[in-house]
Amino acid sequence: MISAAFRVMLLGLMRDRAALVMAFVLPTVIFVIFAAIFSGALGDRIRIHVGLLDLARTPTTQRLMQALEADPSLRVGRLAASDLDGAVAAVRRGEVDVALVLRGDLEAGSSRADQPVVLIENPAKALATPIALGQLQRVLNEALPDVVLARIVADVERSGKIGPDERAFLNQAFAEQRARKEPFAFASLVERRSTASGATNDRVSYYAGAITAVFLLFAAMQGALSLVDERQSGLADRLMAGPGGLSVVVLGKFLFLVGQGLVQAGLIFSAAALLHGVDILPHAGAWLVTSLLVSAMAAGLALAACAASATRQQAHLAATFGVLLLSAVGGSMVPRFLMPPWLQEAGWLTPNAWAIEAYQNALSEGWAAALPAWGVMAAVAAAGLWVALGLVSRRTS
């Protein structure tokens, strides 16, 4: 009966071309789209569009304009506006994400009392503001360190700790150091190191695991809906009379859903390897165990949810809104580190968070690091299958 239930579900899937495409083609296509979107939406790949307007036209503002235009991490364009209001209008129309207007000389002691740089932001693109400020500060430190230090010295002079002669001497020293093209110590204060291992794309491997978790849950829920259909059509009563009753039917469906999920995971990670360089081979064994447990967890939860549903409508709601809610909280749609702390903790109550954690650890450090997540997923899979078997037995007793 287990093999018969497995074969019935396989034949049903193979005969339904639309279901076959949605089960094995759609997950890969969605992953490719998400990977293209999110691989450039985090970290140093965020290239916001910055509009520049130099109203002061001094040597220091021209140096800053040239440094910003030469920076590869920014998309920079000079605005056609002639005043501050024109720059505001350009940001409001969406021509650029933010605008930097240089309205005064950057040199310390300039005649203007207000800030020489105006950043114009759009509330609808709030994330662009801190990125632009951080990039501006970095470019100032790297390309105009003498100007930055001169402004600091001017602050010290106003406090009365040094006099005009000392300030002039320091400014001259900064200018000479810049002329010799010697690096300033504070401009190279920070060394960056990454946890990335080898040439693999860790950012895309995260979304491969995240998308896998979503689609395995969706596919498992759609497959498990046959429990409700068989019950409502009366087929479950006839199956109950067979050897082993409905329990063996549930086991057959469980094995089919695990196999289907394993194929889906393989297709998604194959696309990640071919298109984005995600390296699976060094930890292929750990990846295989992780995919098997994620598939089993999705199958167990789906069968339990459908066994607990009295009608197809209830099961359908669990298959759509329930999976979407778990995926959102678990980090499959937005990385959990971007969420509020309480929501990050709540994410551990979802299967998606453990699936993503298992894939991340398995592909980066191997099976030893993935053991805790494997244990949780195996327990959830077993619990889900046990609940499904118990509910089916209770309904038929």
Side-chain angles (χ1 to χ4, degrees):
M1 283 293 289
I2 294 178
S3 61
F6 185 100
R7 186 169 177 272
V8 167
M9 293 194 69
L10 178 61
L11 291 175
L13 180 63
M14 296 298 292
R15 290 169 180 166
D16 191 340
R17 298 290 180 86
L20 193 63
V21 170
M22 292 185 67
F24 298 116
V25 177
L26 186 61
T28 308
V29 173
I30 295 297
F31 161 73
V32 171
I33 296 173
F34 270 61
I37 294 172
F38 290 110
S39 64
L42 293 172
D44 56 2
R45 293 193 180 187
I46 301 179
R47 299 181 70 241
I48 61 173
H49 193 187
V50 180
L52 299 180
L53 179 60
D54 186 3
L55 299 178
R57 301 185 181 278
T58 66
T60 56
T61 58
Q62 291 176 6
R63 284 175 57 196
L64 179 58
M65 293 278 284
Q66 293 170 359
L68 289 170
E69 289 175 330
D71 193 284
S73 62
L74 294 171
R75 289 190 298 134
V76 175
R78 299 207 177 198
L79 297 177
S82 59
D83 54 17
L84 195 59
D85 292 336
V88 172
V91 175
R92 184 181 294 115
R93 289 193 300 267
E95 296 177 7
V96 292
D97 298 324
V98 294
L100 292 174
V101 179
L102 310 182
R103 63 180 178 182
D105 193 359
L106 304 178
E107 286 282 2
S110 61
S111 57
R112 291 189 68 99
D114 48 11
Q115 292 92 336
V117 181
V118 178
L119 185 144
I120 302 171
E121 61 181 328
N122 186 341
K125 302 177 181 178
L127 184 61
T129 300
I131 295 174
L133 288 173
Q135 298 285 29
L136 173 62
Q137 188 65 53
R138 179 182 58 80
V139 171
L140 282 170
N141 289 344
E142 292 177 354
L144 287 83
D146 54 316
V147 174
V148 175
L149 288 173
R151 295 184 70 88
I152 295 174
V153 170
D155 292 337
V156 177
E157 182 190 14
R158 282 193 293 271
S159 69
K161 301 299 182 181
I162 62 174
D165 294 339
E166 290 86 352
R167 175 186 170 185
F169 171 78
L170 291 172
N171 287 343
Q172 180 63 28
F174 298 152
E176 292 176 357
Q177 186 170 355
R178 181 176 65 85
R180 294 194 300 268
K181 297 183 178 180
E182 295 179 357
F184 287 76
F186 78 93
S188 58
L189 185 65
V190 179
E191 175 188 358
R192 294 179 60 180
R193 295 193 180 186
S194 173
T195 60
S197 55
T200 186
N201 193 331
D202 291 342
R203 184 180 290 112
V204 173
S205 69
Y206 173 90
Y207 283 103
I211 297 300
T212 298
V214 175
F215 270 97
L216 262 60
L217 282 171
F218 270 122
M221 288 296 297
Q222 292 302 317
L225 281 173
S226 60
L227 276 178
V228 183
D229 294 334
E230 291 166 359
R231 188 193 316 140
Q232 292 184 337
S233 65
L235 179 60
D237 296 331
R238 295 193 293 272
L239 292 173
M240 186 174 56
L246 285 180
S247 296
V248 293
V249 175
V250 172
L251 289 174
K253 294 179 185 294
F254 176 80
L255 292 177
F256 172 81
L257 294 175
V258 170
Q260 174 183 269
L262 198 57
V263 174
Q264 289 177 319
L267 290 172
I268 291 173
F269 275 92
S270 295
L274 292 174
L275 301 179
H276 297 278
V278 175
D279 196 4
I280 303 172
L281 292 179
H283 302 292
W287 173 86
L288 182 60
V289 174
T290 301
S291 298
L292 187 64
L293 288 173
V294 173
S295 302
M297 177 174 62
L301 290 174
L303 289 169
C306 290
S309 301
T311 63
R312 183 179 177 84
Q313 181 68 14
Q314 293 178 7
H316 182 70
L317 288 174
T320 52
F321 295 106
V323 172
L324 286 175
L325 179 61
L326 292 174
S327 301
V329 177
S332 287
M333 297 181 180
V334 178
R336 287 172 55 242
F337 72 86
L338 295 175
M339 300 178 184
W342 68 270
L343 199 53
Q344 293 183 31
E345 295 300 320
W348 292 118
L349 301 176
T350 67
N352 302 68
W354 289 107
I356 294 170
E357 181 80 1
Y359 276 121
Q360 289 288 98
N361 291 336
L363 293 179
S364 61
E365 302 181 44
W367 64 270
L371 277 177
W374 286 357
V376 172
M377 291 192 298
V380 173
L385 181 58
W386 179 78
V387 169
L389 292 171
L391 289 174
V392 167
S393 300
R394 181 181 302 176
R395 287 182 183 276
T396 56
S397 60

